[in-house]
Amino acid sequence: QVQLVESGGGLVQAGGSLRLSCAASGRTFSDYAMGWFRQAPGKEREFVAAISARGGGTHYAGSVKGRFTISRDNAKNTIYLQMNSLKPEDTAVYYCAASRVTLQAIVVVIPDEYDYWGQGTQVTVSS
């Protein structure tokens, strides 16, 4: 079992920045590829960014590429999502997720392939 707890959400003006954190506990963190997803009101959950188990590989949704950066610190069992140049359309609940992988280089982008999810943190971007 893996427990995930997100933090760092809040209210920010358009053009501003936030850094989300996701702390993991319960299993060997470096065995898991990690990802960030988001869900806006009335919309389906969508992929934002993902990182491989050791951090060597990343992948981003087109809508956030160049503005968001995913990273991880396996010594702290934590992943981060640095969000810059925020837009009102980035408003959503942001979730982190963990996927048990057998290959360290794998980056997981499909929600159904994730095994554990956090409770989410609200990000609101005002115009």
Side-chain angles (χ1 to χ4, degrees), residues 37-48 91-93 95 111:
F37 293 77
R38 66 187 182 187
Q39 187 167 18
K43 296 187 177 181
E44 293 188 352
R45 188 172 297 189
E46 65 172 354
F47 168 77
V48 175
T91 295
V93 177
Y95 300 90

Side-chain angles (χ1 to χ4, degrees), residues 5-111:
V5 179
E6 302 97 336
S7 61
L11 174 64
V12 64
Q13 288 189 330
S17 298
L18 282 174
R19 188 175 83 153
L20 305 183
S21 299
C22 173
S25 61
R27 291 285 187 177
T28 305
F29 184 63
S30 59
D31 288 342
Y32 289 82
M34 302 292 293
W36 287 98
F37 293 77
R38 66 187 182 187
Q39 187 167 18
K43 296 187 177 181
E44 293 188 352
R45 188 172 297 189
E46 65 172 354
F47 168 77
V48 175
I51 190 165
S52 61
R54 297 297 172 91
T58 58
H59 187 72
Y60 297 90
S63 58
V64 307
K65 196 170 186 178
R67 300 188 297 122
F68 291 11
T69 302
I70 188 171
S71 61
R72 67 189 295 160
D73 185 340
N74 284 355
K76 295 182 178 180
N77 286 7
T78 302
I79 67 166
Y80 306 95
L81 186 68
Q82 177 66 44
M83 305 186 295
N84 299 328
S85 302
L86 283 160
K87 305 175 181 180
E89 51 264 43
D90 294 318
T91 295
V93 177
Y94 283 71
Y95 300 90
C96 70
S99 175
R100 180 72 164 86
V101 294
T102 55
L103 296 176
Q104 299 299 321
I106 289 176
V107 177
V108 182
V109 301
I110 300 174

